[in-house]
Amino acid sequence: MSRRYDSRTTIFSPEGRLYQVEYAMEAIGNAGSAIGILSKDGVVLVGEKKVTSKLLQTSTSTEKMYKIDDHVACAVAGIMSDANILINTARVQAQRYTFSYQEPMPVEQLVQSLCDTKQGYTQFGGLRPFGVSFLFAGWDKNYGFQLYMSDPSGNYGGWKAAAVGANNQAAQSMLKQDYKEDMSREEAVQLALKVLSKTMDSTSLTSEKLELAEVFLSSSGKVKYQVCTPDALSKMLIKYGVTQAPVES
């Protein structure tokens, strides 16, 4: 039945569904997963890097985490080339706001403006929806720390803990069980790594397969975005018992 209605993004099926947008969401279901957790003193983002070949040169820069402005960062799941376009759009929006009003852009306003762009690609003919989901982590003076999730349809929502990408249903149900209201940032990191280790397809977690980033307030009260180094991540995985320490020969 869907065959007649999935040729264009602008056609509703008789059940009221937009198949092309649903297919875009399906594409994200096959991408490397990302998890975001809101804690009382920051936001934690963890992403799974899909290592497709041993010959592939691992990039020195992050490929799942991106800084949008000093107070907002995001984790990405889906088609990376689509994500790059949207991230550049978001960065320009944030800078325009700062230039106009001399203060950082409120996090939700930034997320909403980006989702407006995404929505446009589901309503006009001849355009393909962006095959990418985002987890936005940020801080502003109005609402403090915030975590938002958005999908190809242009919908977004505020979350306490969220997962996108492969096995996101299993990850969401684990987060629902184990999330506590006033978690510290360290506990949030531990939970995110635990959930990812249980839901990832690969058998063992290593720092090459993961990226971890945090948004928090520094001691001086400034918002800080920090990406965890591979060495620190390896130590963390051993500390929380997610992977075994290498045996000394």
Side-chain angles (χ1 to χ4, degrees):
M1 186 64 192
S2 71
R3 286 263 101 37
R4 284 160 53 196
Y5 298 99
D6 66 358
S7 59
R8 302 225 178 96
T9 55
T10 50
I11 298 177
F12 279 101
S13 75
E15 303 100 60
R17 291 161 67 178
L18 292 168
Y19 282 108
Q20 282 293 325
V21 180
E22 287 182 24
Y23 296 161
M25 292 179 192
E26 203 60 43
I28 292 156
N30 306 323
S33 48
I35 291 171
I37 299 176
L38 192 64
S39 68
K40 62 184 177 189
D41 54 348
V43 191
V44 174
L45 296 172
V46 183
E48 173 199 354
K49 282 201 273 194
K50 287 266 190 195
V51 183
T52 47
S53 166
K54 285 180 181 173
L55 301 174
L56 198 63
Q57 173 70 54
T58 51
S59 64
T60 47
S61 63
T62 56
E63 55 182 78
K64 295 285 283 186
M65 310 291 170
Y66 293 89
K67 183 177 178 178
I68 293 173
D69 200 354
D70 289 337
H71 66 302
V72 189
C74 69
V76 174
I79 302 167
M80 291 311 304
S81 50
D82 283 10
N84 289 333
I85 300 290
L86 287 168
I87 287 161
N88 285 340
T89 308
R91 284 172 176 165
V92 171
Q93 296 269 20
Q95 293 310 312
R96 277 190 184 141
Y97 186 96
T98 308
F99 182 72
S100 300
Y101 303 108
Q102 308 302 309
E103 64 173 27
M105 190 171 188
V107 181
E108 187 171 357
Q109 200 172 327
L110 178 58
V111 174
Q112 191 174 359
S113 74
L114 199 63
C115 287
D116 289 348
T117 306
K118 278 189 179 189
Q119 189 275 334
Y121 279 71
T122 67
Q123 198 169 8
F124 301 107
L127 300 174
R128 169 177 74 74
F130 288 100
V132 64
S133 267
F134 287 103
L135 290 173
F136 295 95
W139 183 92
D140 63 42
K141 62 183 184 187
N142 306 314
Y143 297 109
F145 290 109
Q146 294 152 75
L147 174 69
Y148 293 96
M149 180 166 79
S150 82
D151 62 29
S153 66
N155 282 328
Y156 74 92
W159 292 75
K160 291 172 181 173
V164 290
N167 304 324
N168 62 9
Q169 296 289 328
Q172 285 280 33
S173 60
M174 282 181 72
L175 288 168
K176 203 184 283 183
Q177 283 175 339
D178 297 345
Y179 180 81
K180 292 187 213 59
E181 281 296 328
D182 55 348
M183 289 180 109
S184 67
R185 210 167 73 239
E186 197 174 326
E187 288 171 322
V189 170
Q190 191 173 351
L191 175 60
L193 293 175
K194 179 187 142 191
V195 169
L196 210 53
S197 70
K198 295 248 174 80
T199 56
M200 254 169 74
D201 296 330
S202 58
T203 46
S204 63
L205 273 187
T206 59
S207 56
E208 286 101 60
K209 294 178 189 167
L210 282 183
E211 275 174 19
L212 185 133
E214 297 169 285
V215 176
F216 58 95
L217 289 179
S218 65
S219 50
S220 62
K222 276 191 121 102
V223 187
K224 196 168 179 207
Y225 166 69
Q226 184 176 295
V227 178
C228 195
T229 62
D231 293 345
L233 196 50
S234 298
K235 285 177 187 157
M236 223 179 268
L237 289 169
I238 294 162
K239 180 184 165 188
Y240 296 137
V242 180
T243 52
Q244 303 302 312
V247 180
E248 299 283 326
S249 55

